Amino acid sequence: MPDLDQDTVSALEAPEFAPAQFVRWFREVAPYVHAFRGKTFVVAFGGELIQAGALNPLVQDLSLLSALGIRLVLVHGSRPQVNEQLRLKGFTHQFDRGLSPTDAASLECAKEAAGEIRLDIEAAFSQGLPNTPMSHSQIRVISGNFVTARPTGVIDGVDYRHTGHVRKIDVDAMRFAMEKGSVILLSPLGFSPTGDAFNLAMEDLATSVAVALRAEKLIFLSTAEGVRNEDGTIDTELARVDADALLAQGGLDEDTALFVKYSSQAVKRGVARAHVVPFSLDGSVLLEIFTHDGVGTMVVEDTLDDLRPATVDDVGAILSLVEPLEADGTLVPRGRSVIERDVENFTVLEHDGVIYGCAALHPYLEEHMAEMACLIVHPEWQGSGEGELLLRHMESRARALGAKRLFVLTTRTSHWFMKRGFVQGGVTDLPHDKQAHYNRSRNSLVFIKRL
């Protein structure tokens, strides 16, 4: 049994000659490569990333994603560059986060800044020197009038003039370009049917584009590192309802709150995943996409409205799910008394008062392990991802308790767990207390997943 606690060494820390590490990493990312080929990612970043000199490393990583068959739409911001243009021209007005009026002079500065940044990005994608990550890349960047905008208008007596919002995205034209292998680049400007230009917020534009394209991922590269837990660690996966609760509490810093707000909006409107990733970390996009936990915060639309801790009143419903599987030998017979005793370890899926799924988590924290048991979804509700939802929730609970490995015992569902990252182990890999109570007559297989 391999050591599942062994951490993967980052590219920056790995020895120069580490073939085993390279092979292991390549095998670990293969499932993600298969899953994301042909999918659309919207990657958004502000002018702060360009100011920080992080454009070239980002373009190298995006070039790799394109080579792997991922369809890319890039949305750049230009706030610091516009403010610098305004300062150089002697204007006192400066743009901050949030909605601000755009006068004629500010619009001209926005056009100049967008043009310069667009050319810098196109030049970065045009690199192709031998012995560099861009060698043989041959990526074509397409920009154009894909975004129709409308004026913000007058709000509370303030005329926002050339500040606008997205009205429509030319989805067909964008998909056609991406199908030909091009990367689409959007500046934070939109145009009305009358030919007027409007200054758009990068965050709003990226969210609107991701929703219109039904993107698999919306990735915000930010000065923010993501949402932090109470212990200071990054909360790597956040359900949308929890993200909204954090925003309502008002405890997030300004940058983090802004990107979490738009991530929540995107997921609510149909984007599969939205990420807030720090651009200060070299390779953060690759680490977020191709490693299990990533390096930022991912917002997901888990139907946590249906997911809750079990109570004593749920014992009867849990028994109705468990008993058919006990009868056919899939599960070990437990009985009402055992479920009543352990009910606080259970989580249930409930919809309209009907409990249609459950799972239990039993911690063995001295050995940094936890057992997942009784993962059940009623047959009439199977096939829509409810099992995956329960599994992700159990993994999150186990991590929150401090467990580093999650294990299951199974006799009939080994392939389901293997497809979800579990590795077969042996009885000796179990916690000592679990080994002492292992039922050898059932000969259950042991599967372990590193968290």
Side-chain angles (χ1 to χ4, degrees):
M1 178 74 184
D3 181 6
L4 295 177
D5 281 333
Q6 180 182 355
D7 291 330
T8 301
V9 180
S10 75
L12 296 177
E13 297 171 349
E16 183 176 355
F17 182 69
Q21 166 66 21
F22 174 82
V23 171
R24 178 184 171 207
W25 178 86
F26 224 56
R27 288 171 176 167
E28 286 179 352
V29 303
Y32 299 101
V33 174
H34 297 315
F36 295 144
R37 183 181 294 113
K39 299 295 175 61
T40 299
F41 289 9
V42 177
V43 181
F45 52 92
E48 295 83 0
L49 179 145
I50 298 165
Q51 269 191 335
L55 179 60
N56 272 351
L58 172 62
V59 166
Q60 292 170 6
D61 293 345
L62 296 177
S63 172
L64 175 59
L65 296 183
S66 179
L68 293 174
I70 294 171
R71 297 175 178 179
L72 293 175
V73 178
L74 310 185
V75 182
H76 75 80
S78 58
R79 187 178 295 111
Q81 288 81 5
V82 173
N83 285 338
E84 179 64 12
Q85 291 273 9
L86 288 168
R87 187 189 66 80
L88 291 173
K89 292 181 179 181
F91 296 104
T92 58
H93 174 65
Q94 295 278 283
F95 285 97
D96 202 352
R97 298 211 180 275
L99 194 64
S100 299
T102 303
D103 59 21
S106 298
L107 181 63
E108 289 306 310
C109 291
K111 291 178 180 178
E112 292 176 19
E116 290 179 7
I117 292 173
R118 179 173 62 82
L119 291 174
D120 287 343
I121 294 172
E122 290 177 353
F125 272 105
S126 300
Q127 299 175 79
L129 290 174
N131 302 320
T132 71
M134 296 298 293
S135 180
H136 307 299
S137 59
Q138 296 182 337
I139 293 176
R140 295 292 170 262
V141 180
I142 302 294
S143 301
N145 55 341
F146 296 109
V147 180
T148 302
R150 60 177 175 81
T152 298
V154 179
I155 301 176
D156 295 330
V158 177
D159 186 354
Y160 283 81
R161 302 187 66 184
H162 300 287
T163 296
H165 293 286
V166 176
R167 171 176 282 170
K168 184 180 178 183
I169 305 294
D170 192 343
V171 172
D172 291 339
M174 293 178 71
R175 285 179 175 159
F176 179 81
M178 287 188 289
E179 286 170 1
K180 300 298 182 181
S182 297
V183 171
I184 293 178
L185 174 62
L186 299 178
S187 297
L189 294 168
F191 308 96
S192 71
T194 60
D196 295 316
F198 291 96
N199 187 23
L200 308 177
M202 175 273 289
E203 301 84 2
D204 181 49
L205 174 58
T207 302
S208 299
V209 169
V211 170
L213 291 173
R214 305 290 291 182
E216 179 72 16
K217 289 184 181 292
L218 168 61
I219 301 172
F220 286 116
L221 284 156
S222 163
T223 54
E225 295 181 337
V227 176
R228 290 196 175 274
N229 296 309
E230 291 183 359
D231 61 0
T233 59
I234 296 294
D235 192 339
T236 58
E237 183 171 330
L238 195 61
R240 182 182 61 80
V241 290
D242 293 334
D244 291 343
L246 285 174
L247 291 169
Q249 292 168 10
L252 300 176
D253 64 82
E254 183 182 14
D255 277 2
T256 303
L258 179 72
F259 290 112
V260 169
K261 181 184 79 170
Y262 280 102
S263 296
S264 175
Q265 289 180 10
V267 169
K268 184 177 181 179
R269 295 166 61 191
V271 177
R273 301 285 187 268
H275 305 252
V276 181
V277 181
F279 67 70
S280 59
L281 176 62
D282 184 35
S284 57
V285 170
L286 300 182
L287 289 166
E288 180 71 8
I289 294 172
F290 294 123
T291 61
H292 184 267
D293 288 332
V295 293
T297 294
M298 177 176 70
V299 180
V300 297
E301 181 60 87
D302 280 346
T303 55
L304 295 183
D305 298 333
D306 295 345
L307 196 61
R308 63 171 177 80
T311 68
V312 173
D313 294 335
D314 301 321
V315 170
I318 294 173
L319 278 171
S320 68
L321 291 170
V322 169
E323 285 174 345
L325 298 178
E326 292 178 344
D328 69 10
T330 300
L331 294 179
V332 177
R334 286 169 173 80
R336 177 179 288 271
S337 62
V338 174
I339 292 178
E340 286 179 347
R341 182 195 67 198
D342 295 338
V343 70
E344 64 182 15
N345 294 330
F346 276 83
T347 295
V348 295
L349 279 168
E350 180 184 42
H351 185 68
D352 289 339
V354 177
I355 292 176
Y356 63 96
C358 67
L361 188 73
H362 305 288
Y364 295 85
L365 298 184
E366 288 186 2
E367 291 157 284
H368 302 291
M369 297 182 74
E371 177 186 12
M372 181 174 63
C374 289
L375 177 62
I376 306 168
V377 176
H378 191 282
E380 292 183 7
W381 277 272
Q382 291 177 5
S384 300
E386 286 79 3
E388 298 268 7
L389 174 60
L390 279 166
L391 173 59
R392 286 200 302 271
H393 181 69
M394 290 293 126
E395 290 175 356
S396 296
R397 280 188 59 193
R399 277 194 293 267
L401 291 171
K404 294 183 178 179
R405 290 183 288 174
L406 182 69
F407 71 89
V408 296
L409 301 179
T410 182
T411 57
R412 302 190 183 185
T413 55
S414 57
H415 281 212
W416 192 90
F417 290 108
M418 290 171 66
K419 288 174 65 177
R420 286 150 183 86
F422 285 79
V423 177
Q424 186 168 358
V427 176
T428 57
D429 297 306
L430 298 174
H432 295 304
D433 186 53
K434 189 66 181 180
Q435 291 183 40
H437 294 88
Y438 178 78
N439 186 344
R440 296 187 180 276
S441 65
R442 280 181 59 82
N443 196 29
S444 298
L445 298 177
V446 178
F447 286 88
I448 303 175
K449 183 173 184 178
R450 184 178 51 167
L451 299 175

